[in-house]
Amino acid sequence: MLIDLALAHGGDIPAAYDFNFRGCLVHYESPEISRSVLETGTATPTPAADVYALGASYFISATGLRHVAYPDDASREEQRQAIVDGPHRPVNVSGVLGRLIDAMLSPEPSHRPTSAEVCAELRAAC
């Protein structure tokens, strides 16, 4: 399971901390999520967006870098625009994991593997 503890449900959120989109940290957002938030202030999570977020998590875990380059002090809007504009940094991770990360970070949701395919690939690699 993927969860973001910063937004875990469990009680009322004070108005000063509340906002429309209850998603993940920006640098794990998929291009379609970032685009929707920029355009409407909201987004609807999808399994494909979750696969992208997991790919971004694998990328930062394997490389120490965010999958999209933007300044550390960039605003959320600037971060989201960088994700929308793409492309992601080259995946310099060898083997199955590198190929899998690259596929998971596809800008086109329909080109990403499903979560079941990701699990199958990882199991086969072990």
Side-chain angles (χ1 to χ4, degrees), residues 4 12 26 29 34 82 113 121:
D4 186 338
D12 291 330
V26 174
E29 287 179 2
S34 287
E121 286 276 340

Side-chain angles (χ1 to χ4, degrees), residues 4-96:
D4 186 338
L5 294 178
L7 298 172
H9 293 282
D12 291 330
I13 300 172
Y17 297 102
D18 202 7
F19 51 94
N20 290 336
F21 176 62
R22 298 196 184 287
C24 59
L25 293 171
V26 174
H27 42 269
Y28 299 106
E29 287 179 2
S30 65
E32 66 272 17
I33 294 289
S34 287
R35 185 178 299 105
S36 181
V37 172
L38 286 170
E39 292 173 359
T40 69
T42 64
T44 301
T46 65
D50 287 345
V51 167
Y52 188 97
L54 182 58
S57 297
Y58 287 161
F59 187 97
I60 201 168
S61 295
T63 68
L65 301 169
R66 292 182 297 263
H67 71 290
V68 175
Y70 48 77
D72 288 340
D73 63 349
S75 69
R76 285 178 181 242
E77 183 175 328
E78 292 168 321
Q79 293 172 18
R80 286 189 169 107
Q81 194 61 57
I83 291 168
V84 168
D85 294 342
H88 62 75
R89 288 181 163 140
V91 179
N92 295 322
V93 179
S94 62
V96 173

